[in-house]
Amino acid sequence: MRGEVYLPSGARPEGGFPAVVVTGSWTTVRQQMPALYARRLAERGHLALAFDFRGYGDSSGTPRDVESPDQKAADIRNAVTFLAGHAQADPGRIGALGLCAGAGYTAAAAARDERLRSLALVAPWLHDAELVEALYGGPEGVAVRRKAGEEAARRWRETGEVTYVPAVSTTDPEAAMYGPFDYYLDPRRGAVPQWCNRFAVMAWPGWLAFNPIAAAPEIHAPALLVHSEAAAIPEGARRFHEALAGPKEFVWTTGGQLDFYDQEPAVTTAVDAAVDHFTATL
């Protein structure tokens, strides 16, 4: 896996800087929202790592662009291992900031890794089976996607061919995200050259079965959620927050889901809350 470490200015404190693993929404690469948040955290005194998950961006691994929650949670734990051995980081003060789907992967990682001492989840996409059905057209819509994913997985096993659809499209209804999701399609925002805009269809079953809300009772590290009623599935965030086992804080603010990726004042609101949280808990 390849990524960048963003270092705070000034001398390394005794013991090292508090360190944060930063991850973004599904299908994304580190040059999108992870780099923005990592840079802002470093400006506020936290060493931050933004990286590409296996099979994405500059990282190795095949098949490419497979949205696997299990693999991504494991990659976050691998990133923690990297930070624990970094010369500038304090191995006893490692946290994680996850945006959108990255929040769910971060939750799954934290439930299995006590080295993650603090979490900040920004505009978190957190679903369970009930919410999945509501989001994807009921049982019928879920079944259609699951069947397509199973068929794509079988084709890959038999032929090595990966079936892709666009990650985002305003014209292709088969896209993983069908509609005017401007962040991903605007080169001034998230449409960076490193992002392939594709989704491996074989990933649907794993994504639809993923339940990060179920991880909440296993998370004892202090957790902050920053969300808005106008952003994605606030009900999932409420369910997750209620089920958390450890210290928890919820900051409700304003803005749509994509605003938290790169727009003001949503980004500064989230960064300010995350910095205050990490300063108090790392």
Side-chain angles (χ1 to χ4, degrees):
M1 301 192 311
R2 293 184 177 272
E4 283 94 27
V5 170
Y6 293 77
L7 287 170
S9 60
R12 173 186 180 276
E14 184 178 354
F17 292 105
V20 181
V21 178
V22 182
T23 52
S25 67
W26 69 335
T27 82
T28 57
V29 294
R30 69 184 190 275
Q31 291 88 354
Q32 293 168 303
M33 67 286 285
L36 171 61
Y37 274 77
R39 184 166 56 250
R40 294 286 295 270
L41 288 173
E43 291 170 355
R44 302 284 294 275
H46 292 75
L47 183 152
L49 169 66
F51 70 94
D52 289 327
F53 290 101
R54 73 182 81 178
Y56 284 85
D58 293 327
S59 293
S60 62
T62 56
R64 307 292 296 175
D65 302 300
V66 177
E67 196 66 29
S68 168
D70 289 344
Q71 288 186 356
K72 288 196 165 185
D75 288 349
I76 291 171
R77 297 196 299 272
N78 290 333
V80 172
T81 298
F82 170 80
L83 286 178
H86 194 281
Q88 297 291 321
D90 184 338
R93 293 195 293 164
I94 298 175
L97 185 150
L99 293 107
C100 191
Y105 306 145
T106 295
R112 297 180 58 187
D113 197 332
E114 294 181 354
R115 297 174 301 169
L116 278 170
R117 302 296 180 86
S118 183
L119 309 179
L121 309 181
V122 177
W125 181 289
L126 301 161
H127 64 219
D128 55 20
E130 180 184 2
L131 291 170
V132 161
E133 289 192 355
L135 290 161
Y136 290 108
E140 298 81 5
V142 171
V144 166
R145 288 171 174 82
R146 182 177 290 115
K147 180 179 179 181
E150 291 168 350
E151 291 175 351
R154 183 171 61 251
R155 175 182 296 180
W156 173 68
R157 289 193 302 268
E158 293 174 353
T159 70
E161 178 185 352
V162 182
T163 304
Y164 293 105
V165 295
V168 180
S169 177
T170 58
T171 60
D172 186 348
E174 298 299 315
M177 292 180 280
Y178 175 50
F181 296 95
D182 294 343
Y183 172 84
Y184 297 96
L185 302 175
D186 187 342
R188 296 167 299 179
R189 299 182 68 189
V192 299
Q194 299 87 348
W195 183 62
C196 294
N197 190 15
R198 64 182 186 179
F199 177 89
V201 176
M202 71 171 80
W204 274 125
W207 170 254
L208 295 170
F210 181 47
N211 183 357
I213 294 174
E218 305 301 320
I219 297 173
H220 298 274
L224 164 74
L225 280 72
V226 181
H227 210 24
S228 163
E229 291 288 357
I233 47 174
E235 176 58 24
R238 280 190 284 266
R239 294 181 188 182
F240 179 88
H241 181 262
E242 182 178 353
L244 282 166
K248 53 192 176 182
E249 179 184 1
F250 214 137
V251 173
W252 287 101
T253 181
T254 58
Q257 184 71 13
L258 304 184
D259 293 333
F260 287 96
Y261 298 172
D262 68 339
Q263 298 295 294
E264 295 297 346
V267 172
T268 292
T269 298
V271 170
D272 285 348
V275 168
D276 288 346
H277 176 72
F278 287 136
T279 299
T281 59
L282 287 179

